[in-house]
Amino acid sequence: MTEATETESRKLLGRLREVMAESNAGQARLDSIVKLIAHSMETEVCSIYLFRDADTLELCATEGLNPEAVHVTRMRMGEGLVGKVAKTGRIANTADAPSEPGFRFMPETGEEIYSSFLGVPIRRLGEKLGVLVVQSKTKRGYSDDEVYALEVVAMVLAEMTELGAFVGEGAAMAARHKNPALFRGGTGQEGVAEGHVWLHEPRVTVTNPIAEDPDAEKRRLFEAVEALRLSVDDMLSQAEMADKDHRDVLEAYRMFANSRSWLRRMEEDISRGLSAEAAVEKEQSAARARMEEVPDAYLRERLADLDDLSNRLLRILTGQGSDTGAEMPEDPILVARSIGPGELLEYGRKLKGIVLEQGSVGSHAAIVARAWAIPLVIHAGKITTEALNGDHIMVDGDQGLVHLRPDDNVVSAFRDKFAMQAEAQKRYADLRDKPAESRCGKRVELTMNAGLLADLPSLEPSGAEGVGLFRTELQFLVRASVPKRGELAAVYKRVMDSAKGKRVVFRTLDIGSDKVLPYMKREEEPNPALGWRAIRVGLDKPGVMRMQLQALIRAADGRPLTVMFPFVAQFEEFRAARQHLLDELDRENALGHPLPSIVEIGAMLETPSLAFAPRQFFESCDFISIGGNDLKQFFFAADRENERVRRRYDVLNISFLSFLEHIIQRCDETQTRVSYCGEDAGRPVEAMCFAAMGLRSLSMRPASIGPVKSLLRRVNLDEARAVIEEARAAGAQSVRVPIMDWLRTQR
Ligand code: PEP
Ligand code: MG
């Protein structure tokens, strides 16, 4: 790049800034800009196409094409050369546009006389906003310099678009971040909530994309990069003891922070007239676009590291730290790309709902959302680029929908649904002290699932008869190192204290698969759900499990203690785990600590194999808890975290119900208590069918206890069983339809 071209580029941006400073709004501004670019680049045509909606581009301003085509010519994403640039995010530069594959001639524009075409995407942080095009009659390819210059201009246009520069008179485009937007994602946790957006990572806005003094901007950039380097080195020295993965990420940061090519590109952007922050954002945007394309997971992660680093750099440059001075609304709905359990727990119980762009049903965030009983929607498109702090937002975790800045119709429909649920909750509260007893006199025990100390206050108001599943992994997941025995004992003691004598079933650490401890050395496994997890880890490396068992015995301090081992696949595993507990009891006794008054030891049945274990296994168990979430995935061979298949199979499938019947029968033969603690136990129709098959104990999230109890009290389980039998005899695949038909006939 020569100095002359740099000066040219800076002059163009300088004039662009003058145009922006004129009081013209909206359309007039865009018109001046296309004129200016065409003139500066000595080309006949310059046009700006912007997105009307997610799929349609509209010609919003042109110099050279037929002015009457403005706001008339539209194309879909991928259509013609312009649509192709928009879709792929890649520059199109050709001397002979009509001969290009995919070229589509728009007769109303009069573009047939122009041969050469250069189109660059207008995008901001990976979000597609439009396409900037120049065309000319002479057959010529645009030089690298010209391409670069146009890219820089496109960057400035993107910033201006974000700042709302083209909104207003003439309505060149709709105001950004103002219109209602609907995001269709997946259910991470059911429930509905209304509130206001709180962005986990506040957006950095660049108000000055153009700068006059490149030397001063370069100095600012170097200073910021220096500060960044120091902070990365600092993190690295603190992470000296941390696990390898963490260090790898930091090393990658360091690599980028010292990367000459990254810095050189930003310097060039500055030489062309961009401010330091605009240069950072331009490179970040390009990296995000690449991120969407690269199929290689490792490369994608490195680009994500670069993205993170760019964010840090932007914060240093703009002074917009993570604390932007914005005040958290009273009814915050957290919006984030992704979030770890530690960060999530720091927000505490004030959150009304969570919306994530990534995430999975089994993720830590989902576990926390479930524990807090707040709705979580995952895979919610690109909501972080659309939402602003304080935006009105409605989250429908049942349907996986998020309404951002909803219009009045949506608001009232949503509030109706909300009111209905609140009304129902009131009715359920009246049932709190009544038993879950069916019309035919069968009593079902309803307990709650928990994972945090903060869950325990729900015990009384929900009417739960105890805690049927206490997932102990959260205490491990949120810490930077293995918790100490004393700390754990204190937590477990407080759980038992809060339960006020009601039974709490403590499940020992269930890690591995999707639940990875930050400090645990992780070996890549081809299929973690079928890998080294839960009791397999506990038995192979018993140190942590034994420490946890000691903490439980000490917390019980003479009270009854109930312990269950997760993911037992064969008798031997249970026998070995049980022996560890018996040994610890002996040891604690020898140390003079009081022993629990009663010890119950159970196993989770989460693999089909265990249903066929020898009779002696069932005899040696005090109870069995069916972990339906895992059992379902292994029974149907359908990954519980894979959105494509996880809803494909139904627990009301005759095969699954018959399998449950088999488990119940084996437990009955040996008089082993059996309960069901997977998520499906909290769905009223499913819970009723489980009870009809003979289950007399169900554990679920606290909010489900009312609805499940209400239905159980209304039905005759013998009749429900008869409907199931009839469907089975008739060869039905699922009992859902006949059961729903039958339910409709019930009052
Ligand atoms: C289950 O698998 O059903 C279960 C309750 O355990 P988790 O969801 O924690 O795997
Ligand atoms: Mg499980």
Side-chain angles (χ1 to χ4, degrees):
M1 184 171 56
T2 65
E3 222 167 277
T5 55
E6 281 177 14
T7 318
E8 275 309 306
S9 178
R10 273 210 302 281
K11 258 199 230 151
L12 170 58
L13 291 197
R15 270 184 254 133
L16 205 56
R17 186 165 49 189
E18 281 162 24
V19 172
M20 297 307 296
E22 286 164 13
S23 56
N24 288 342
Q27 189 65 48
R29 256 188 191 157
L30 275 180
D31 292 344
S32 314
I33 290 173
V34 285
K35 213 172 261 154
L36 180 68
I37 300 172
H39 180 76
S40 305
M41 292 187 65
E42 294 173 3
T43 180
E44 286 113 336
V45 177
C46 174
S47 312
I48 294 175
Y49 297 81
L50 295 172
F51 275 102
R52 267 278 124 188
D53 54 53
D55 206 37
T56 321
L57 281 156
E58 181 176 300
L59 176 64
C60 284
T62 185
E63 169 70 10
L65 297 186
N66 180 2
E68 284 178 7
V70 171
H71 297 309
V72 174
T73 293
R74 290 187 179 177
M75 62 215 43
R76 300 185 77 72
M77 181 90 105
E79 191 183 351
L81 287 185
V82 174
K84 209 161 132 189
V85 173
K87 186 168 180 197
T88 59
R90 274 197 287 270
I91 293 163
N93 181 7
T94 168
D96 188 6
S99 69
E100 282 292 308
F103 175 79
R104 208 190 122 216
F105 162 59
M106 303 278 184
E108 71 277 13
T109 60
E111 67 180 338
E112 65 275 19
I113 52 172
Y114 301 107
S115 179
S116 56
F117 175 103
L118 169 61
V120 301
I122 304 175
R123 64 186 170 208
R124 185 177 183 275
L125 297 183
E127 187 192 5
K128 293 167 173 156
L129 300 173
V131 180
L132 174 62
V133 174
V134 289
Q135 291 170 279
S136 70
K137 280 185 200 153
T138 44
K139 276 195 185 177
R140 62 156 175 140
Y142 290 91
S143 69
D144 285 353
D145 260 347
E146 285 170 311
V147 174
Y148 201 164
L150 204 64
E151 269 191 295
V152 168
V153 173
M155 162 71 205
V156 174
L157 286 179
E159 282 313 314
M160 290 170 171
T161 312
E162 175 67 15
L163 296 172
F166 307 126
V167 179
E169 223 173 295
M173 66 180 296
R176 289 175 54 69
H177 310 301
K178 290 256 182 326
N179 289 337
L182 170 66
F183 296 87
R184 284 178 201 280
T187 298
Q189 171 63 30
E190 285 126 349
V192 287
E194 175 176 3
H196 291 86
V197 169
W198 183 252
L199 289 168
H200 179 51
E201 287 188 321
R203 297 158 72 86
V204 176
T205 43
V206 175
T207 46
N208 57 337
I210 305 170
E212 263 165 11
D213 182 352
D215 293 337
E217 290 305 303
K218 280 180 198 166
R219 261 197 312 278
R220 286 183 62 227
L221 179 69
F222 291 144
E223 279 165 20
V225 169
E226 203 40 49
L228 181 71
R229 267 186 206 143
L230 289 176
S231 74
V232 173
D233 286 346
D234 207 36
M235 280 193 278
L236 263 167
S237 65
Q238 281 174 20
E240 223 53 78
M241 305 300 290
D243 70 305
K244 187 173 164 300
D245 283 356
H246 190 183
R247 278 192 64 85
D248 280 353
V249 171
L250 289 175
E251 287 292 355
Y253 276 12
R254 175 137 79 183
M255 192 181 82
F256 280 120
N258 290 303
S259 156
R260 276 308 307 158
S261 60
W262 184 48
L263 287 176
R264 200 182 50 243
R265 280 196 306 274
M266 292 193 288
E267 277 176 68
E268 283 178 13
D269 295 335
I270 291 175
S271 298
R272 297 251 175 196
L274 289 186
S275 65
E277 40 273 65
V280 176
E281 228 182 63
K282 179 167 174 286
E283 290 313 312
Q284 188 179 19
S285 208
R288 279 210 186 167
R290 251 178 290 150
M291 198 146 63
E292 282 185 9
E293 280 181 16
V294 291
D296 181 80
Y298 177 80
L299 254 177
R300 245 195 340 261
E301 267 175 39
R302 293 293 76 81
L303 285 167
D305 292 341
L306 179 61
D307 192 67
D308 209 51
L309 212 58
S310 305
N311 272 337
R312 285 167 194 266
L313 200 51
L314 276 175
R315 296 222 167 93
I316 298 173
L317 278 165
T318 58
Q320 298 169 24
S322 50
D323 177 15
T324 52
E327 217 170 283
M328 186 184 276
E330 277 187 5
D331 46 8
I333 305 257
L334 189 76
V335 175
R337 282 211 281 158
S338 66
I339 189 167
E343 292 168 301
L344 190 52
L345 285 170
E346 267 172 34
Y347 282 104
R349 287 227 147 195
K350 49 187 175 286
L351 296 182
K352 297 279 175 278
I354 308 169
V355 181
L356 301 179
E357 288 186 359
Q358 298 165 3
S360 68
V361 207
S363 65
H364 308 151
I367 297 170
V368 175
R370 207 170 297 152
W372 284 343
I374 57 171
L376 163 69
V377 171
I378 53 176
H379 300 154
K382 292 199 172 165
I383 189 165
T384 58
T385 43
E386 186 59 49
L388 295 182
N389 264 340
D391 276 349
H392 187 195
I393 184 170
M394 291 176 145
V395 183
D396 184 341
D398 302 341
Q399 316 270 349
L401 297 179
V402 180
H403 301 277
L404 185 66
R405 303 180 288 264
D407 64 26
D408 292 349
N409 289 335
V410 172
V411 171
S412 62
F414 196 89
R415 288 198 181 142
D416 283 350
K417 182 171 174 175
F418 212 56
M420 266 163 56
Q421 290 196 349
E423 175 87 11
Q425 285 301 338
K426 240 193 274 147
R427 266 188 284 122
Y428 300 145
D430 296 340
L431 291 178
R432 196 187 59 187
D433 300 320
K434 303 216 165 92
E437 189 172 313
S438 69
R439 296 243 307 260
C440 52
K442 295 189 176 59
R443 177 85 169 70
V444 182
E445 178 194 46
L446 302 184
T447 56
M448 66 176 241
N449 293 348
L452 295 170
L453 198 51
D455 294 326
L456 271 298
S458 305
L459 192 58
E460 275 203 30
S462 69
E465 294 169 74
V467 177
L469 165 66
F470 189 90
R471 292 179 163 102
T472 58
E473 47 276 8
L474 273 178
Q475 274 76 35
F476 286 79
L477 286 167
V478 300
R479 283 183 168 76
S481 56
V482 184
K484 302 224 163 39
R485 182 180 54 201
E487 287 174 85
L488 283 183
V491 173
Y492 300 152
K493 178 178 179 309
R494 285 177 65 195
V495 171
M496 290 187 216
D497 291 348
S498 318
K500 298 194 185 119
K502 286 186 174 153
R503 182 170 178 256
V504 180
V505 181
F506 287 95
R507 174 176 79 181
T508 61
L509 197 53
D510 182 3
I511 45 151
S513 184
D514 59 306
K515 299 170 201 153
V516 184
L517 298 183
Y519 41 85
M520 187 174 121
K521 199 164 164 299
R522 186 86 203 268
E523 313 251 321
E524 277 301 315
E525 291 188 292
N527 195 338
L530 301 172
W532 197 54
R533 54 176 290 200
I535 196 70
R536 300 173 184 177
V537 180
L539 292 176
D540 292 357
K541 301 246 181 252
V544 173
M545 187 172 79
R546 292 186 82 115
M547 183 272 283
Q548 192 184 20
L549 294 171
Q550 290 158 13
L552 283 165
I553 297 167
R554 290 191 190 180
D557 195 22
R559 291 176 283 189
L561 174 64
T562 310
V563 176
M564 120 175 131
F565 295 104
F567 212 65
V568 176
Q570 56 183 11
F571 184 16
E572 184 47 38
E573 287 169 344
F574 179 68
R575 198 167 18 207
R578 185 170 180 273
Q579 193 55 49
H580 278 299
L581 177 52
L582 298 178
D583 290 349
E584 288 313 320
L585 285 164
D586 281 348
R587 234 176 62 100
E588 290 296 299
N589 194 24
L591 289 171
H593 292 136
L595 292 185
S597 54
I598 312 166
V599 181
E600 288 180 289
I601 312 175
M604 282 190 85
L605 196 153
E606 303 184 271
T607 60
S609 61
L610 204 60
F612 302 95
R615 182 187 172 93
Q616 286 79 351
F617 159 72
F618 289 91
E619 283 169 350
S620 68
C621 272
D622 292 316
F623 64 93
I624 296 275
S625 188
I626 300 171
N629 304 335
D630 275 311
L631 186 62
K632 187 165 97 180
Q633 79 166 338
F634 298 122
F635 187 73
F636 289 112
D639 189 338
R640 65 192 260 191
E641 285 188 56
N642 182 337
E643 284 301 318
R644 280 186 113 149
V645 296
R646 73 181 193 91
R647 283 180 222 265
R648 198 177 170 101
Y649 305 100
D650 191 350
V651 287
L652 297 190
N653 183 301
I654 287 287
S655 313
F656 192 77
L657 291 180
S658 300
F659 187 50
L660 284 188
E661 186 183 34
H662 172 77
I663 298 168
I664 296 163
Q665 195 190 334
R666 299 225 50 202
C667 290
D668 281 353
E669 279 164 18
T670 49
Q671 282 168 17
T672 310
R673 278 171 81 160
V674 56
S675 66
Y676 190 108
C677 65
E679 292 305 309
D680 290 302
R683 303 198 168 93
V685 177
E686 281 82 338
M688 182 197 71
C689 291
F690 294 166
M693 295 313 289
L695 279 172
R696 292 290 170 268
S697 175
L698 304 170
S699 196
M700 61 200 72
R701 62 191 176 111
S704 294
I705 290 182
V708 168
K709 191 190 283 186
S710 165
L711 181 62
L712 285 175
R713 287 174 58 86
R714 279 198 293 127
V715 296
N716 179 322
L717 289 175
D718 293 333
E719 284 179 25
R721 178 64 184 251
V723 175
I724 295 173
E725 290 309 334
E726 205 180 310
R728 177 151 61 179
Q733 174 171 284
S734 163
V735 302
R736 189 170 292 278
V737 173
I739 277 289
M740 292 308 289
D741 288 346
W742 171 75
L743 270 179
R744 269 182 230 106
T745 67
Q746 307 295 298
R747 268 181 302 123

